[in-house]
Amino acid sequence: MIALRTRLASDRSQLLAAGLLWLLVSALVVSLALPLAAILGKALTGDDGRFAGLAQFAAIAGGERFWDAVSNSLAVSLATTAIVLPLAYVFAAALTRTCMPAKPLFRGLALIPLLAPSLLPGIALVYLFGNQGLLKAWFPDGGIYGFWGIVIAEVFFTFPHALMILVTALSVADARLYEAATALGAGRVRRFLTVTLPAARYGLISSALVVFTLVIVDFGAPKVIGGQYNVLAVEAYKQVIGQQNFPKGAVIGVLLLLPAVLSFVIDRALQKRQRALLTARAQPLVIRPKAWVDALSTLTCTVIGGALLAILATAVAAAFIRMWPYKLMPTLAHFDFDNMDGGGWAAFYNSVRLALATAVCGTVAVFGGAYLAEKSRAAPVARQLLKAFAILPMAVPGLVLGLGYIFFFNDPANPLHFLYGSMTVLVLCSVAHFYTTAHLTATTALKQLDDEFEAVAASLKVPFWTTLWRVTLPVCLPAMLDIARFYFVSAMCTVSAVIFLYTPDTVLASVAVLNMDDAGDTAAAAAMATLIVAASALVCLLFSLAAWWLGRRTQAWRQR
């Protein structure tokens, strides 16, 4: 009798795991696959709603405006990549390969842009180099509105993304290679070209692909500082919002998907070719102090970090100055959002609600899905599908996903039509948009745990939720905090994924920044952007304190 009850409990555990896996797969199909299918279907229909094949693609390709947008997007993306890559590499090398002081401070300065929406650097550049800017002589005749304005704003926006990849690439090195190169008479430059650079080549290529993709699909910076310099992302926005031409907007969305997918395929192919840099016989590289190298690294990081901080500080200062640059006395008048276009204070509260809901729902869904995919043996097909869908968002720009949500959820024939315009669909879009990074974080943490925990639990007929609650969650709690922090900050700052989905009741802070800037309330837009940065920074601090407290508790528990 006891054996029968144990077997039934084990069967129920496997059935529940299988049910949850298929439920998550279904949720990803609804939030990712079907919207992408909807945007592709819309791109293949004509203005009358009938199937038109590639007619819309041909019509757009025949227009001069389209090719101008394509060439402009490529020019901005390539220029930004060419600037960001060497700057990020030098900064990462200073953090990992030198003994310069204040490394945590410089690292924090470099990651500041992650807390801000991509609209913020555009606003700051207007105050610095615009028609009324303090340094307008640097870009006379409104020269900042266009190519160079977009490039500078995108450099600010993408720098930390490239830096994090390169820091990881340069953190691992085999001292034996450098010793062998030195013994063979290789100088500093030759060692760099033959040892350091080849070891970091995959990190360099990955960071270049990330920067290029982020720039070509970004909507915020070109909308604020681009002026008449048209790019593809802004053109898609104009077609959908300005002209209500949904088929053409869908076509541009599909075209925006191509560079992201291509970058994703190249990056995955490179990952398969990459070999481990540290083997069992490797010797970690020991960094020794060198006065002139450390001094030069400190100076370089000070200049780069200072430039990033100056852009952020300009936007924050503009939020508290009465009338830039004529009346520089402090004021809080720009925070009176209820008397300005953009949605009022409700926009900020909606963003906080969205970020909290995304952090909670996203963390539960991502970690639960990663656990079932990695540790469970139920429903093998569902596990493979879940892993495949979890990687898909990495290749889907936010603007494209948002367009897909319009065509899918706004279809009256869709049973889920009632969700369109609600906070629920915004949460669903945000969770899906940032799913890949969170999933990879959870998977990395779970793979550090031995599979023997689940094997022993299965042999003892212990349900998976007991092992999850008593073993896995306590060990992986820091990773879950990282996932929740990532989701909160991303949901607070995102604009491209939600620009098509909000209603007057669900307008968000990042959208309010755009609307107030369009209305000419640039100072109020800077004030709202400042609130986004402040909220993101506060939550990051709280999560850091929670992680520190958990670390202390874990250390005390191990010492007992």
Side-chain angles (χ1 to χ4, degrees):
M1 182 63 69
I2 296 177
L4 178 61
R5 290 178 179 176
T6 303
R7 180 177 299 177
L8 290 175
S10 177
D11 292 340
R12 284 197 298 268
S13 175
Q14 291 298 307
L15 286 174
L16 179 59
L20 291 174
L21 279 166
W22 282 112
L23 180 63
L24 284 170
V25 170
S26 301
L28 289 174
V29 168
V30 171
S31 60
L32 283 171
L34 294 182
L36 292 178
I39 192 174
L40 180 59
K42 181 63 70 172
L44 297 176
T45 60
D47 296 334
D48 56 357
R50 298 181 179 179
F51 179 77
L54 299 178
Q56 292 287 354
F57 290 88
I60 287 182
E64 183 179 350
R65 180 182 178 87
F66 168 74
W67 290 109
D68 287 341
V70 170
S71 60
N72 291 344
S73 295
L74 290 174
V76 167
S77 301
L78 291 173
T80 304
T81 304
I83 295 172
V84 168
L85 210 59
L87 292 179
Y89 184 89
V90 170
F91 207 104
L95 291 176
T96 57
R97 300 295 177 91
T98 72
C99 294
M100 73 171 185
K103 285 185 180 182
L105 174 61
F106 286 119
R107 185 182 180 90
L109 286 176
L111 298 181
I112 280 178
L114 294 176
L115 305 179
S118 61
L119 303 161
L120 183 140
I123 294 173
L125 292 177
V126 170
Y127 279 102
L128 284 174
F129 307 112
N131 295 327
Q132 304 299 327
L134 293 177
L135 304 174
K136 62 180 179 180
W138 291 22
F139 291 90
D141 301 324
I144 193 64
Y145 298 100
F147 175 81
W148 284 112
I150 298 175
V151 168
I152 296 173
E154 297 292 6
V155 167
F156 175 89
F157 174 61
T158 59
F159 179 82
H161 298 275
L163 177 68
M164 289 188 293
I165 296 173
L166 291 174
V167 165
T168 303
L170 293 173
S171 296
V172 178
D174 190 348
R176 298 177 303 165
L177 299 177
Y178 290 89
E179 293 173 357
T182 303
L184 293 173
R188 185 180 299 275
V189 175
R190 189 171 180 81
R191 287 200 303 271
F192 172 78
L193 295 175
T194 59
V195 180
T196 305
L197 205 56
R201 65 185 181 275
Y202 292 111
L204 286 167
I205 296 174
S206 294
S207 58
L209 292 173
V210 167
V211 171
F212 182 88
T213 304
L214 286 174
V215 175
I216 203 168
V217 302
D218 182 47
F219 161 79
K223 185 66 175 65
V224 173
I225 198 70
Q228 300 301 315
Y229 195 85
N230 198 30
V231 296
L232 281 175
V234 176
E235 182 65 20
Y237 175 79
K238 290 178 180 178
Q239 291 292 339
V240 174
I241 300 298
Q243 303 179 25
Q244 297 291 301
N245 194 329
F246 293 104
K248 286 187 177 180
V251 169
I252 298 175
V254 172
L255 294 176
L256 279 174
L257 192 61
L258 296 180
V261 171
L262 180 61
S263 298
F264 172 75
V265 171
I266 294 174
D267 186 65
R268 299 293 291 183
L270 290 174
Q271 287 182 15
K272 292 181 179 179
R273 295 181 57 185
Q274 187 174 7
R275 297 179 180 178
L277 294 178
L278 284 184
T279 63
R281 299 179 180 179
Q283 297 178 4
L285 181 64
V286 178
I287 307 301
R288 294 180 175 82
K290 291 184 179 179
W292 71 272
V293 173
D294 297 341
L296 184 60
S297 299
T298 303
L299 177 61
T300 303
C301 291
T302 300
V303 172
I304 297 175
L308 298 175
L309 185 61
I311 291 176
L312 176 65
T314 299
V316 173
F320 293 95
I321 290 177
R322 184 174 297 277
M323 183 180 294
W324 186 289
Y326 305 109
K327 298 180 181 179
L328 301 181
M329 63 280 293
T331 181
L332 295 177
H334 303 312
F335 289 87
D336 188 14
F337 301 126
D338 291 331
N339 292 320
M340 301 175 187
D341 293 329
W345 275 95
F348 178 73
Y349 299 141
N350 284 340
S351 278
V352 174
R353 287 170 53 208
L354 170 65
L356 289 173
T358 302
V360 173
C361 299
T363 302
V364 172
V366 168
F367 192 84
Y371 176 82
L372 292 173
E374 296 295 331
K375 301 297 184 180
S376 172
R377 294 295 174 262
V381 176
R383 285 192 286 114
Q384 294 304 316
L385 287 174
L386 180 60
K387 292 180 181 179
F389 280 124
I391 301 298
L392 180 60
M394 184 180 293
V396 181
L399 195 71
V400 177
L401 186 62
L403 278 172
Y405 270 57
I406 290 181
F407 304 137
F408 177 68
F409 286 100
N410 199 30
D411 186 355
N414 186 352
L416 299 176
H417 173 70
F418 68 94
L419 292 176
Y420 186 75
S422 66
M423 184 63 71
T424 302
V425 80
L426 290 173
V427 173
L428 187 64
C429 182
S430 299
V431 171
H433 184 204
F434 304 108
Y435 195 96
T436 300
T437 301
H439 176 79
L440 293 177
T441 302
T443 301
T444 302
L446 288 168
K447 285 184 176 179
Q448 295 176 353
L449 293 177
D450 198 328
D451 292 338
E452 290 298 322
F453 288 111
E454 281 70 29
V456 172
S459 66
L460 296 175
K461 308 302 180 183
V462 176
F464 75 88
W465 58 82
T466 302
T467 307
L468 175 65
W469 179 257
R470 294 182 178 180
V471 179
T472 308
L473 284 181
V475 176
C476 295
L477 199 54
M480 294 184 66
L481 290 176
D482 288 339
I483 294 171
R485 174 171 53 188
F486 167 75
Y487 262 129
F488 185 94
V489 173
S490 299
M492 282 294 298
C493 296
T494 187
V495 59
S496 59
V498 298
I499 190 64
F500 301 120
L501 302 178
Y502 73 95
T503 65
D505 294 330
T506 59
V507 63
L508 303 174
S510 57
V511 176
V513 173
L514 178 65
N515 292 338
M516 287 187 286
D517 181 73
D518 281 343
D521 295 326
T522 311
M528 185 65 81
T530 299
L531 286 178
I532 294 175
V533 174
S536 301
L538 177 61
V539 169
C540 287
L541 177 61
L542 293 176
F543 274 108
S544 297
L545 292 175
W548 173 82
W549 181 78
L550 286 173
R552 292 291 299 271
R553 287 289 301 271
T554 302
Q555 184 179 5
W557 177 78
R558 289 176 178 175
Q559 291 176 351
R560 292 179 180 177

